[in-house]
Amino acid sequence: MADETQQGSTNEANTGFLMGIFSELLGSPLNIALLGVCGFLLYKIISGRRNTGTPAPKEPELPPLKKQDFTLEQLREYDGRRKDGRILIAVNGKVFDVTKGKRFYGPGGPYGLFSGHDASRALATFSLGEEALRDEYDDLSDLNSMQMDSVREWEMQFTEKYVYIGKLLQPGEQATEYTDTEDEQSEEKKDSEKKSN
Ligand code: HEM
């Protein structure tokens, strides 16, 4: 009996706690807007993943890109709408081929605005607004240490998942002349990644 009474008050406490979180979440227009954005992103990610019944014909994989560095202008060409649909994104000064993540970064995808851009500031500040994507080279010098840690974490995630193509060049910086051996090395890395997947 005492157990039942205790159980009852624990349930009440839990319900009260959940109600508290719920009213906190819906308590301000900003929170409601953020919940809306998150819901929209989840919807986009889930609907991009959902099987429609008839499997889409598999698109041929693009040939690997030669190792090379990019200026911001050159990077912009790779937004998934031009250049055979290839998509490149820079994170913390490194350019990655994210074409295989087309459902995220392709036109209409939840993170499509990053395509052909340096996404470092947007990722560091958890922002999906245009203001986080600069037209000029962004040295990120105004970000705080937590935001810089976050950029480095994203860089690690991208390094694990996608192929690194080259550096994002600062204004006036010369592009590196990569040798064919370096290209072969990145090919070998890609092959061994494919085998381990
Ligand atoms: C709060 C709302 C958000 C929700 C619910 C959400 C949800 C998700 C989920 C479920 C995934 C994993 C998808 C998968 O692996 O299948 C994902 C990946 C990702 N999200 Fe979000 N997200 C949110 C906000 C954001 C924001 C604000 C940014 C950037 C500023 C962001 C950037 C990313 C990136 C870059 C990926 C990785 C895609 C990849 O693997 O290449 N997300 N998100």
Side-chain angles (χ1 to χ4, degrees):
M1 185 68 183
D3 269 1
E4 272 173 30
T5 321
Q6 205 176 349
Q7 176 99 35
S9 55
T10 313
N11 283 346
E12 268 170 37
N14 284 344
T15 316
F17 177 68
L18 286 175
M19 289 296 282
I21 292 182
F22 200 63
S23 63
E24 183 80 13
L25 280 175
L26 298 178
S28 93
L30 180 67
N31 283 355
I32 295 174
L34 282 175
L35 274 178
V37 171
C38 291
F40 178 68
L41 286 173
L42 263 184
Y43 164 75
K44 282 239 171 190
I45 288 167
I46 291 166
S47 60
R49 206 191 284 169
R50 210 169 23 217
N51 196 340
T52 51
T54 42
K58 209 170 186 295
E59 284 176 40
E61 238 181 72
L62 292 175
L65 209 53
K66 238 176 109 50
K67 193 154 188 237
Q68 59 193 291
D69 297 341
F70 294 83
T71 61
L72 269 180
E73 272 100 66
Q74 289 164 336
L75 187 66
R76 266 182 222 130
E77 295 281 303
Y78 294 87
D79 61 357
R81 290 188 168 87
R82 297 166 266 185
K83 304 268 186 193
D84 295 335
R86 198 186 293 273
I87 307 172
L88 302 185
I89 287 181
V91 181
N92 203 20
K94 292 184 172 175
V95 176
F96 297 93
D97 186 337
V98 300
T99 313
K100 74 171 183 180
K102 202 156 76 179
R103 67 191 179 92
F104 296 120
Y105 308 107
Y111 309 117
L113 81 166
F114 296 162
S115 303
H117 285 90
D118 176 6
S120 313
R121 178 174 295 272
L123 292 169
T125 56
F126 214 55
S127 157
L128 291 169
E130 299 275 346
E131 76 288 343
L133 302 171
R134 304 273 158 101
D135 286 334
E136 304 295 317
Y137 182 85
D138 190 354
D139 65 6
L140 309 175
S141 56
D142 60 317
L143 295 188
N144 63 34
S145 62
M146 252 172 67
Q147 291 167 330
M148 279 314 296
D149 283 348
S150 165
V151 177
R152 283 187 279 269
E153 267 174 38
W154 279 107
E155 180 198 323
M156 261 163 54
Q157 274 200 39
F158 274 71
T159 308
E160 276 166 24
K161 185 167 178 185
Y162 300 112
V163 180
Y164 168 69
I165 305 294
K167 283 185 297 181
L168 178 66
L169 295 167
Q170 298 186 21
E173 190 181 356
Q174 287 299 308
T176 313
E177 298 260 347
Y178 294 103
T179 60
D180 286 346
T181 338
E182 279 167 300
D183 253 349
E184 279 159 21
Q185 278 168 356
S186 62
E187 267 303 282
E188 277 165 20
K189 188 170 167 252
K190 211 181 147 202
D191 280 350
S192 68
E193 276 168 6
K194 260 192 188 164
K195 277 177 201 145
S196 66
N197 279 340

Short mmCIF file of all heavy atoms in Angstrom, two decimals, residues 49 107 183:
data_model
loop_
_atom_site.label_atom_id
_atom_site.label_comp_id
_atom_site.label_asym_id
_atom_site.label_seq_id
_atom_site.Cartn_x
_atom_site.Cartn_y
_atom_site.Cartn_z
N ARG A 49 14.71 10.47 -46.87
CA ARG A 49 15.19 9.11 -46.64
C ARG A 49 14.15 8.06 -47.01
O ARG A 49 14.47 6.94 -47.33
CB ARG A 49 15.52 8.98 -45.15
CG ARG A 49 16.57 7.96 -44.84
CD ARG A 49 16.63 7.71 -43.38
NE ARG A 49 17.30 8.78 -42.65
CZ ARG A 49 17.28 8.88 -41.33
NH1 ARG A 49 16.61 8.02 -40.61
NH2 ARG A 49 17.91 9.85 -40.72
N PRO A 107 19.98 20.50 -54.06
CA PRO A 107 18.94 21.52 -54.14
C PRO A 107 17.66 21.06 -53.45
O PRO A 107 17.19 19.96 -53.69
CB PRO A 107 18.73 21.66 -55.66
CG PRO A 107 19.99 21.14 -56.29
CD PRO A 107 20.51 20.09 -55.36
N ASP A 183 47.20 12.17 -55.53
CA ASP A 183 45.87 11.79 -55.99
C ASP A 183 45.62 10.30 -55.76
O ASP A 183 44.57 9.90 -55.28
CB ASP A 183 45.74 12.06 -57.50
CG ASP A 183 44.86 13.26 -57.74
OD1 ASP A 183 44.22 13.72 -56.79
OD2 ASP A 183 44.84 13.74 -58.88
#
